[in-house]
Amino acid sequence: MSDLSHRDRVIMSLNHQQPDRVPMDMMGNATMLLDKTYFKLRDYLGLQPIDPVRSGSSANYYDERILEALDIDFRRIFLKKATTNRINHHDDGSYSDAWGIRYKQHGIYVNIIESPMQNVQDMGEVEAFPWPKANDLYTANGLEVVAKKMFEETDYAIVARNPLSPGFLDLGSWMVGMAAFLMLLALKPDVAESIIAHILEIYKGVYSIFLDAVGPYVQIVEVADDLGGQQQPLISPNMYRKLIKPAETELYALIHAKAPDAFIVHHSDGNIFKIIPDLVEVGVNILNPVQTSTQGMDAARLKETYGHMVSFHGAIEKMAESKDELVAEVKEKCRILGRGGGYILASCNHMIDVEPENIIAMFE
């Protein structure tokens, strides 16, 4: 029996020391269960229904009873929506959020069907847009007490759950439309930079609200921006460095200042191999979801090249394959990425349609 606490195990691994076992994570940024998968696992474990932690997403449930059953090393604190942060429902079944983005559910997925800045072309239009304010989006009322209690009365690694799913490239694409925003980045970078600057100020306000309350008690803070495609980054490394990286630098510096003992975990799908040193430079300590099936993101190559600079979180992609294939992948990734610490076992992105037996086998 190990004498390590869950929190000590996580910190040891993130400091690139070999713990007693690889730490395990679930139900965080990009490690949620889509609702259908969650319901099946909940029922398989014989648990009673609980209320969702959010709505309007394809993955709405966070259930600490499941985390307890699987001996997960992490627990999360969620920033609360302000009462003014409302969803507006429309007659066609779609809905709009506080940013003015319109969504509609198709099957198990929620898709954007209308971007509020899709016709923006100049700086004046960016300035005139009714940007939301951080205080109108979120509140941290009561969270300091919750965080302090979790820190003092449990031994789990405590995570400030990402309150803002999209990052700078993501949200710019959501606000303008992906193709249109990529064209702005290429042809009107001053307009794109203005959009990113407005997003940055709102994000700094949101993370300040959150971390002023919980910063002293958390070991990890989640951020995200999907920068990679299946074969290469979504934008060139030079464009990333010029237009996205400065905003990351400013936001992540604020996070480290307000949560000085915390590691930043950055979510990005796809092949981001060429810009990993840049992410480390802006303050990222952990990469998620480590999509090793994409071109250039082989697990051994990642560990050999960047394993001394950054930790890896995720990398398990065969969740819906046979149990034997899944178990073999878990063993392989623990052997490669877990060597000398620096690895947290988790699914590579959300569990979409996974049988309970596979989820349990993964963590066992």
Side-chain angles (χ1 to χ4, degrees), residues 126-291:
V126 176
E127 295 301 321
F129 184 78
W131 294 96
K133 294 180 171 56
N135 287 327
D136 293 332
L137 294 173
Y138 294 99
T139 176
N141 288 345
L143 282 191
E144 182 174 5
V145 173
V146 173
K148 187 173 188 291
K149 182 180 178 67
M150 288 176 68
F151 180 76
E152 293 178 349
E153 297 184 13
T154 81
D155 76 340
Y156 298 112
I158 303 170
V159 186
R161 176 68 163 88
N162 182 8
L164 301 156
S165 296
F168 299 108
L169 181 61
D170 289 330
L171 187 54
S173 297
W174 295 12
M175 295 292 288
V176 182
M178 187 170 186
F181 188 63
L182 293 178
M183 292 297 286
L184 288 179
L185 288 168
L187 302 178
K188 296 185 176 182
D190 56 334
V191 178
E193 283 182 302
S194 180
I195 292 170
I196 292 168
H198 280 83
I199 294 170
L200 172 62
E201 288 309 304
I202 298 166
Y203 277 28
K204 285 167 60 180
V206 170
Y207 274 97
S208 292
I209 291 169
F210 200 2
L211 298 178
D212 283 343
V214 309
Y217 307 109
V218 298
Q219 288 72 63
I220 293 175
V221 179
E222 294 178 342
V223 298
D225 205 2
D226 279 319
L227 301 169
Q230 289 296 106
Q231 298 182 342
Q232 60 195 8
L234 291 173
I235 58 176
S236 73
N238 285 340
M239 182 179 283
Y240 159 77
R241 289 167 189 142
K242 181 179 179 182
L243 299 173
I244 305 295
K245 186 177 178 179
E248 290 177 341
T249 301
E250 194 168 336
L251 178 62
Y252 300 171
L254 178 144
I255 291 171
H256 278 302
K258 292 183 177 293
D261 297 324
F263 300 86
I264 291 180
V265 56
H266 184 290
H267 166 79
S268 174
D269 293 336
N271 178 2
I272 55 170
F273 191 88
K274 292 179 180 177
I275 60 172
I276 289 175
D278 297 281
L279 291 169
V280 173
E281 188 176 328
V282 301
V284 173
N285 309 108
I286 311 162
L287 293 178
N288 162 277
V290 196
Q291 199 173 348

Side-chain angles (χ1 to χ4, degrees), residues 298-322:
D298 175 76
R301 184 184 185 215
L302 285 170
K303 186 71 173 182
E304 179 67 26
T305 309
Y306 298 128
H308 63 292
M309 301 166 57
V310 69
S311 295
F312 303 103
H313 179 291
I316 304 303
E317 299 188 58
K318 296 184 178 180
M319 297 298 304
E321 305 296 330
S322 72

